[in-house]
Amino acid sequence: MTTTAGGASRTNDPVPAADALARYALPASHPVEEAARRAVLRAAEHLLARQHAEGYWKGVTQSDVAYEAQDLLLRRFLGIRDERVTAATGRWIRSRQRADGTWSLVHDGPGHLGTTIQAYVALRLAGDRPDQAHMLRCAAWVRSSGGVAAGELTARIWLALFGWWSWDDLPEVPPEIIALPARAPLSIHSFNSWIRLVLVPLAVVSAHRPVRPAPFGIEELFAPGGPPAGPAAAGPHGGWEGAFRRLDRVLRACRGATPGPVRRAALTACVRWILERQEADGSWGGFGPMTGYAVLALHAQGFPLDHPVLRAALGALEDSAVWTGDGMRMTETVQSPVWDTALSVTALADAGVPAGHPALLGAADWLLTRQTTRPGDWAVRRPRLAPGGWSFEFHNQTYPDNDDTSEVILALRRVAPRDEARVDDAVERAARWTGGMQSRDGGWGAFDADSTGTLVNRLPFFDIGDYCADPPTADVTAHVVEMLAALGRRDDPRTRRGVRWLLDHQEDSGAWFGRWGMNHLYGTGCAVPALVAAGVPHDAPAVRRAVAWLASVQNADGGWGEDWRSYDDPAFAGRGPSTPSQTAWALLALLAAGERDGSAVRAGVAWLTGAQTEDGSWEEPQFTGTGVPGVQALNYGLYRHVFPLTALGRYTRRQNTGAVSARSAPN
């Protein structure tokens, strides 16, 4: 990709929003409503202009700079370092450094040790000297924070590739894990989908323990006293954590005793597993970091760089690069065209764009080409379920998810397509697939069904807390429930069980936890519209408690925001500077709850209209998307556009919930 950070637009001129939007039946009743109508017009114009010629929308996804650093480390490891790429990536990393010398996971967040270590090494690769002021500040902060030894596991894995950290001081990941039965508590299928894409390649890499000559030393990043004996020797002695620490020591001791034929067979099985999951664009799951691990594994196993598999993979990594207009280069950890397109269609429909508008028809046609047609890893737990879901990315047949599938169905039901039978067939297949992915407790996870094991969170392979599995979450469950309601299936047993799951998982405050968006504002903004769409009345206690919580955390300026730290500290729940996307999420919940004419909604709408820029969009440097709570935050480039337009559209159109259909549901 060679776009700017703002994204590309379609090559053919869209129908002007002034001509595309349906007229309002009633005059505006208040100056705030009049301003909101003008904002909707400008926002719709802006979004229509951003559609790509092929019919999709896609914003640029930003995350912390660890992934740019890993890109440079991978290139150095493979011997394909490019001076232009290195210099441009270095400029990007340098531009994101905080005044104290650190790098954060989020905009205006505190320094993060693992990301800072990787960024420092990347800048050394880019030519920065350790005696430069910004590097001295960084190294001093790293040492004061415990040094490399205290950094996150991912950073130490990348350092081990160059001998800056010892493989002996990393957890043992035996490739023989590939042979465990799928239903075994610690099989690879006990982990969530994206962890599997790291775990299996990492097992191959750790079996080979490759090391390239280090281009320089990084002694300045080690705290006084040097590294400890190793993470396996640390940690609690009792409970599951202690048991797994002892297991790691056993695996380490058995490493040299594993019969050669057994180890070779395990490595062959791991490589076969990796190769079977490469996507059409050369990536693994459409994820840049996971593709990097797969490249490392295959190269360690002996695949030359000119092998077709690695050529395709390196091409996919290059396609994830975004060159900014000022000579910097960033990498997208993941691209989001399916998600962005579904949300854009819904936003434009909520704004009053007719169901037969060319932009919506083009989007529907494009979405239909992205429906998955073959079983993926999800079929291990649902072997008799026919495929039919959608994934997040351009190419990802292996890992469709319930969230994207639900949002695509909701979007397709807002369009009057050229081929109605084709859309109805696609929607029905997708609805059956999503229904079949319901977990036993009534909720839905993102990628797998019944991925609720907790033992995997205790293994020393990863240090991401309780997110190694894929249990049901409120945001995903809410989107599925809303989708089923839009298809006229309120009374379906699956819908009723999903509603019960949501009601049972409302927090004492009245909010819902947000797994894939930040955080309780997202979870609540998903849950309330879904419950109302499924028939829960406005005066139900759950809805009233949610309304009361949203009112209690509204900022004095009228907007809403939630700090990233809410994932670790409940004091930040619903608290933070106002942002467009988070304000929109709060408004979506309040509108669904029947609060359109209340003071909280009016103040929130006024904040959104006042924050709109001249070009009809909104500015949002904050990261409001979530990859892993507390570990990886994301800034999705279209969130600042689609969610405010959706909220303002529903406000001006007096529409309580988005779970509506332009056409009758299929039989």
Side-chain angles (χ1 to χ4, degrees), residues 493-514:
R494 292 184 178 89
T495 308
R496 303 326 305 167
R497 292 179 63 219
V499 168
R500 174 45 53 194
W501 190 97
L502 285 172
L503 294 174
D504 289 344
H505 286 79
Q506 187 177 24
E507 297 188 356
D508 291 341
S509 65
W512 279 267
F513 177 82

Side-chain angles (χ1 to χ4, degrees), residues 221-272:
L221 298 185
F222 287 89
H237 296 287
W240 284 111
E241 287 83 356
F244 283 127
R245 297 286 181 183
R246 291 189 290 274
L247 173 62
D248 182 70
R249 289 197 292 272
V250 171
L251 292 173
R252 195 178 306 279
C254 293
R255 173 183 173 83
T258 302
V262 173
R263 176 53 54 96
R264 287 192 294 273
L267 288 171
T268 298
C270 287
V271 168
R272 185 185 308 115

Side-chain angles (χ1 to χ4, degrees), residues 159-216:
L159 295 183
L161 294 169
F162 295 92
W164 290 315
W165 188 264
S166 173
W167 285 105
D168 288 337
D169 291 336
L170 290 171
E172 190 76 13
V173 185
E176 290 77 17
I177 194 174
I178 196 75
L180 290 176
R183 297 287 182 177
L186 297 179
S187 80
I188 62 170
H189 292 284
S190 300
F191 295 86
N192 67 48
S193 60
W194 51 270
I195 286 287
R196 289 196 292 273
L197 287 173
V198 176
L199 178 65
V200 177
L202 186 57
V204 175
V205 174
S206 63
H208 290 286
R209 298 186 169 192
V211 177
R212 295 288 186 269
F216 44 77

